[in-house]
Amino acid sequence: MPRTPLLTDLTARARTTAHTRARTSPCPCGATTTLTDRPDGTVVRHEDTVAKAHAPHTDPTHLTARLTTADHLPGILLPPLDPTPLRLHDRLVTCWPYGTPVDPEDPDAAPWEAAATLLAHLHRTPPPTPLPPMRGPLKAVRAITRLRAAGPHPAAAPVLRAWTSLPAWARAESPQPDTTTLCHGDLHLGQLVRHPATDGPWLLIDVDDLGVGVPGWDLARPAAWYACGLLPPDEWTRFLTAYRAAGGPAVPATGDPWPALDVPARALTVQTAALSIVKAVTAGRPLDEVEQAVVDACDRMGSVPPELTPGFAK
């Protein structure tokens, strides 16, 4: 596949930044790797530097506020090399130090405790600068929009029913109930790296969805996986216990966490199911076992009237 002008120039930016940090002249030497090349974000790495072209139409004021927050919280979030984004091919671009990601081939080494502890510290930290709302619900809306655009599919109906059972704030149709708590907005294990590589402390990355909102959203993906039977109970317990031990405010310190997690977990289940169907349609294949499990969970959710579910709010 031919390289786009954006990818070519983003690679050049990563090389220049890497060699500036190393105090050497820019040159094409050293391996450059494309980590992600999608319409909503392109990421390349050269040596110890990562350059990211953010999604088109990213708000520069919001992104700058998010970068400033990461710059002020170096023990929680990976700080950018420069808290001011630049423009490249009409895309906002940021540069970051490289960190070692979670190894997807070694699930037993998944840093659940580290992820939970970082989230708890993030949720307990006052935002160092005014921030927009956390973008988690908007990502769920985008998933539903893609599902509807993908065309008819037999698994879509239960997902859309489950979507309509969610309260308005979880569908980004009204403000979130919490407007002060600092949240990541898209927490999963791919959002952690060790920095300095390869044995530094774990830090959270990707500030595109960072903002103020409902902290339970950051716990919702592992909670949803656990509820769907996709995350072993001991791993969920490790995560929840570590979050509580670090004083995380999203759930009570003891007792049942689900009244606080129910709506976010249902929303993430719907989002995951919608994207699973889109991927299957795009690839022209049936749903796999995991994808069918989240669709089945949506089917169960949609059968319960929303006013009878825990955490229901208009």
Side-chain angles (χ1 to χ4, degrees):
M1 180 180 296
R3 291 169 66 85
T4 64
L6 172 64
L7 188 55
T8 297
D9 290 348
L10 189 65
T11 298
R13 171 59 58 179
R15 286 174 174 162
T16 299
T17 304
H19 287 281
T20 298
R21 295 177 67 199
R23 302 181 188 277
T24 62
S25 298
C27 69
C29 59
T32 301
T33 304
T34 300
L35 303 179
T36 302
D37 188 11
R38 302 193 308 258
D40 63 344
T42 300
V43 183
V44 300
R45 174 195 174 189
H46 183 77
E47 297 179 353
D48 63 350
T49 299
V50 173
K52 177 175 183 176
H54 296 261
H57 312 301
T58 295
D59 186 305
T61 302
H62 290 175
L63 180 58
T64 299
R66 291 171 170 128
L67 294 170
T68 299
T69 299
D71 199 43
H72 280 74
L73 301 177
I76 302 173
L77 295 161
L78 182 71
L81 295 177
D82 186 340
T84 303
L86 57 89
R87 282 201 175 271
L88 191 65
H89 293 276
D90 203 31
R91 298 276 288 275
L92 293 174
V93 170
T94 54
C95 290
W96 306 81
Y98 175 75
T100 305
V102 175
D103 184 357
E105 302 301 321
D106 189 8
D108 292 338
W112 288 113
E113 289 87 354
T117 301
L118 287 168
L119 281 182
H121 291 167
L122 184 72
H123 295 163
R124 293 174 55 192
T125 301
T129 190
L131 285 168
M134 174 268 292
R135 284 170 37 88
L138 287 174
K139 294 192 71 135
V141 171
R142 190 160 65 236
I144 291 297
T145 300
R146 291 181 62 188
L147 174 63
R148 287 173 170 151
H153 190 281
V159 177
L160 294 173
R161 283 198 303 271
W163 175 249
T164 60
S165 76
L166 293 170
W169 72 263
R171 302 194 306 268
E173 295 173 359
S174 67
Q176 297 176 49
D178 188 328
T179 59
T180 61
T181 302
L182 181 57
C183 303
H184 182 273
D186 187 29
L187 190 280
H188 52 80
L189 291 180
Q191 306 287 37
L192 285 92
V193 298
R194 285 191 181 275
H195 180 74
T198 60
D199 56 0
W202 290 106
L203 296 172
L204 296 171
I205 63 169
D206 191 355
V207 299
D208 285 12
D209 302 305
L210 189 77
V212 291
V214 176
W217 200 280
D218 285 344
L219 282 68
R221 187 171 271 108
W225 290 349
Y226 167 66
C228 292
L230 302 176
L231 182 68
D234 62 326
E235 295 187 17
W236 166 247
T237 298
R238 286 168 49 199
F239 178 79
L240 181 62
T241 299
Y243 182 82
R244 283 173 156 168
V251 296
T254 60
D256 185 4
W258 285 101
L261 297 180
D262 175 71
V263 167
R266 288 193 287 129
L268 262 294
T269 302
V270 171
Q271 176 181 316
T272 302
L275 293 178
S276 295
I277 296 171
V278 170
K279 290 177 182 177
V281 169
T282 301
R285 59 167 177 79
L287 298 175
D288 64 27
E289 184 177 355
V290 171
E291 292 165 341
Q292 188 62 54
V294 290
V295 169
D296 290 346
C298 289
D299 199 16
R300 294 191 296 271
M301 287 160 37
S303 66
V304 180
E307 65 272 15
L308 299 182
T309 58
F312 173 74
K314 292 286 188 182

